Structures are given as C-alpha cells and as structure tokens.
Amino acid sequence: MHETFGQALRRLRGSRSVRDVAQLANCGKTHVSDLERGKRSPTPEIAEALDAALDADGELVALASVRPGTSPLEQAAALQRGVHEALSAGPMTDATLDEWAYTIARHGRATRYRPEAEHLPELISDFSDLRLLLSHRHAAPVRRALTIATAQMAGLMALTLLKLGEPSARDWWRTGRAAAAAAEDRATLSWIYAHESYQLYYSGDVLGAVEFAVRAQQLAGGLPCVGDALAAPLEARAHAIHQRADAAAEALHRAEVALERLDPAERIGSAFGYSESQLAFHAGNACTHLGETARARDEHERALELYPAEDHTDRALIQLDQAICLLADGDPAAAADQATRTIVALPAQHRSALIMYRAEELTARVPRARQALPEMRVLREVLALPPGDTEG
C-alpha cells in the first residue's frame, strides 16, 4: 500500500509535537493535524514548507503532487519529479558539469540523424532540467558554464524547430544569443549567429543571411571555431543565389581554411561541428545556384560518398540539388523523377518542412509549358500527400 502525504508527514514528524512542526513551517497546528488525518489536501506551498521544516528531501513535495485516484505510473512520475528537484537543489560538482556537457554533445549529434518530431520532446525535457539548475544560486564559474549550456540548448531548440518549419525557432535564436552574450562567450555567440543565418537563408531573406553569416565570422575574430566554419559556406551560397560568382568563390575559400583550422574533435557530424561532407554539400549547392552544373555534380557525388546513410536530411537536400541541376541542363522530366524518388525513398519521419520546401521550389522553376509532363504530375501528387504517406 502506498504511503499518503498524511502518513509520511506523521512518520517524518517523529517525536516532535504538532505545534513544533507548525512553527517551523509557519502554519497553524490544526492545519498540520488535518493534513496528517487526511482531512485536508496539501497545497504546493505548504508541502514545500513542511518538506523544508522536516528535511524531507523532496518527499513531501512529491507526495503532495499525487492526487486521489492517480495511477501508480502518475505517482511514480510525481515521485521522480520531487527527487529530481531535490537533487538539483544541491551543489554542482565537476561530474555534474561533465554530465551536462555529454548530454548537450549527444543532442548535437542527434540533430544529424534523429527525426525532429521525435527528438524535440527529449530536448525539451533535458532543457527543463537545465532551467531548474539555472534557477539556483551557483559560484560564478559554474553559473557561466550553465549559461553557456543554456545558449547551446537554445540553439539546438531553434535548429530543431527550424527543420520542423516552426516560426518560433526565431525566438529561441534570440534566447541563445542573449545567453551567449551574458556568458561573454564569443565562440558560442558566433555559432548561434551562423546557425541563425541558415534560418534566414531558407526563409528567403538572403541579404539577412549574409549579414548574420558575416557577423558570425567577425565574432570568431580569426580564432578556429565552428561558427566561422559554418558561416562562410552559407555566405557563399547566399552570394551564389544573386549570381555573385567571385564573392561566392572567395567565401568558399574562407570556408575551406576555416574547416582546416578546426580541431579534429569538431570536424564531425554534429550541430556543434562542421565536416568535409558538409563543405562538399554546401559547395555543390553554391554551384547549383550559379548554374555550374558540371562542378556541382562533382561536389554532389563527393558529398554523398562522405555522408553516412543515417544523415537523411542533408542527403535528401543534395539529391534535390542534383534534380535542380538536371532542370538547369534542360531535362525537367528527369529532374521531377529525381525529386520524386528522393522524397519517396526518404523515411516518412524525416520528410521535414525544409525538404518539402526545397522540392516545391524545384516545381516552381519548371517552365509553364513543361508543367504538364507526367513526371511533374507525379511529383505534385507526392508533394500534396499527407505527411508520412507515399501512395496516392
């Protein structure tokens, strides 16, 4: 039989009088007696006061959240929350900070292969824990480390929401910038500006994307960091859209230099890294926009050789760039077929708003006279299907 709040209160009170406990918790002794007998339900405030008075380590707070009729699973969840909050209120150790560094790095790697809708709830859960830690007092070095972790988690939230096509991603970039600035961490601030430039780029604000990409590189200040390596190729792609070939080439050269200067531990598939495969993808995309289809194909093939099979998003975007090159070379039927096969082959949970937007962009480029092609009809039907469906 599960112990009730009143039973736990009586056990924890021990030999102390009801009056003594009431004075410690700053409440009436009748209130304490009624709680012990089950005549009253504890409020969160009185539960916290009694928990602190009796050194209950969150036990009473957890039991107060369990209402009559709740299932064992709900009771277990309430207990877990109480215990977790009690642990979070304790002093931070080096091991705790190391654990948070590992958790954030794991989320960074997960952005490369986990479906966004699946990843988001876990990201929210861990961020809630971090927020709880941030609400307590800490020594200055610990506070700074937690603030940097907050900036990184905010960036991951924004990146995940961006891929889901959620405008609220912009709010999270702002939160991330504020946290990185508060921690006075230029590398993290550069990283956030670089990633946010991708949101501007994919939303059609190409000039804004260039501005943020330049800002990211300025913040890096010539130091080897991921923000610099991420921003330069995005700048190149934005210049390519406006057919500024020389500016695109110069930015791609800076991207190559930035990648070479990165620590090997940062040249990885992660939101916190930048890799040779990504540079090949981004160079191929710039060439695609410039209409340099032969060079673009070489970069596409190299990127697909380097990317792991589980990196569904970037591989699909590369294949859609291949379709756009086919269209630029005058073969809309092959382009539509390539786009259709890319989407159909993609696991349903990975068909993000970002990928569908890129495929729709291709259909808009096809001349009106060729929109009636059978391959174009099939592509439009696939794009019109509900998420997760591949059959008309």
Side-chain angles (χ1 to χ4, degrees):
M1 178 139 181
H2 295 290
E3 191 175 34
T4 66
F5 180 91
Q7 290 168 340
L9 176 58
R10 178 65 189 88
R11 170 174 55 80
L12 290 165
R13 180 165 65 84
S15 60
R16 284 171 284 200
S17 69
V18 170
R19 182 188 296 276
D20 289 342
V21 171
Q23 288 178 341
L24 288 171
N26 195 27
C27 65
K29 65 176 184 177
T30 302
H31 197 153
V32 175
S33 294
D34 287 348
L35 288 170
E36 285 191 359
R37 296 177 202 162
K39 290 185 176 181
R40 289 193 189 204
S41 295
T43 64
E45 293 75 21
I46 194 64
E48 288 181 12
L50 288 166
D51 198 284
L54 297 172
D55 296 322
D57 292 330
E59 184 179 352
L60 290 177
V61 172
L63 287 170
S65 64
V66 178
R67 295 292 176 245
T70 55
S71 70
L73 285 178
E74 291 172 319
Q75 294 177 40
L79 178 61
Q80 183 274 328
R81 286 193 299 272
V83 172
H84 187 79
E85 288 174 6
L87 290 171
S88 297
M92 291 287 291
T93 64
D94 289 342
T96 307
L97 290 174
D98 286 345
E99 186 65 18
W100 269 107
Y102 170 77
T103 297
I104 292 170
R106 180 173 58 82
H107 280 302
R109 292 189 296 271
T111 62
R112 306 304 306 174
Y113 66 87
R114 285 191 75 182
E116 290 75 27
E118 175 188 301
H119 187 195
L120 183 60
E122 186 177 335
L123 197 58
I124 292 171
S125 179
D126 282 337
F127 208 164
S128 297
D129 291 346
L130 180 59
R131 179 180 177 276
L132 184 62
L133 282 174
L134 204 62
S135 68
H136 301 304
R137 289 189 174 184
H138 302 283
V142 173
R143 183 77 182 181
R144 182 173 185 270
L146 290 176
T147 304
I148 293 172
T150 299
Q152 293 171 329
M153 288 291 279
L156 291 174
M157 284 287 292
L159 187 60
T160 303
L161 291 167
L162 163 63
K163 292 180 179 179
L164 287 170
E166 293 292 337
S168 58
R170 291 179 182 272
D171 298 329
W172 283 104
W173 295 126
R174 188 168 66 251
T175 298
R177 290 200 308 270
E184 299 184 334
D185 190 298
R186 282 194 312 159
T188 301
L189 190 55
S190 170
W191 174 80
I192 290 173
Y193 267 106
H195 271 300
E196 188 170 2
S197 69
Y198 282 73
Q199 169 136 17
L200 296 172
Y201 174 83
Y202 283 114
S203 65
D205 185 359
V206 179
L207 294 178
V210 171
E211 182 179 349
F212 272 40
V214 170
R215 173 69 171 158
Q217 293 168 83
Q218 289 172 338
L219 284 165
L223 297 174
C225 71
V226 173
D228 194 21
L230 270 170
L234 190 280
E235 183 187 346
R237 296 163 72 188
H239 286 314
I241 287 178
H242 288 296
Q243 301 302 301
R244 294 194 285 261
D246 290 345
E250 197 273 331
L252 280 176
H253 174 69
R254 279 188 275 114
E256 292 170 359
V257 172
L259 176 62
E260 286 296 325
R261 298 177 66 202
L262 282 183
D263 186 283
E266 294 176 316
R267 298 175 65 170
I268 58 172
S270 165
F272 298 112
Y274 192 73
S275 64
E276 188 178 352
S277 58
Q278 287 173 282
L279 181 57
F281 161 34
H282 295 154
N285 180 256
C287 293
T288 298
H289 286 304
L290 290 169
E292 299 175 1
T293 57
R295 184 185 169 194
R297 285 194 185 89
D298 290 341
E299 295 288 358
H300 295 155
E301 290 174 6
R302 181 163 167 269
L304 290 172
E305 288 174 1
L306 293 171
Y307 268 105
E310 61 269 20
D311 200 324
H312 296 285
T313 297
D314 280 6
R315 290 184 69 89
L317 289 171
I318 293 164
Q319 290 162 347
L320 290 173
D321 273 354
Q322 290 177 317
I324 290 173
C325 284
L326 288 169
L327 179 61
D329 287 341
D331 195 344
D337 183 61
Q338 165 83 1
T340 298
R341 286 187 288 108
T342 297
I343 295 170
V344 171
L346 198 61
Q349 65 270 30
H350 286 282
R351 289 186 204 126
S352 67
L354 184 59
I355 290 170
M356 303 308 280
Y357 164 79
R358 189 70 170 142
E360 289 165 357
E361 186 180 46
L362 181 146
T363 65
R365 293 188 182 194
V366 175
R368 184 186 298 253
R370 311 303 295 275
Q371 289 284 345
L373 288 168
E375 292 84 357
M376 285 299 301
R377 177 183 56 79
V378 173
L379 175 57
R380 285 194 296 271
E381 288 176 353
V382 167
L383 291 174
L385 291 172
D389 199 353
T390 58
E391 297 182 8

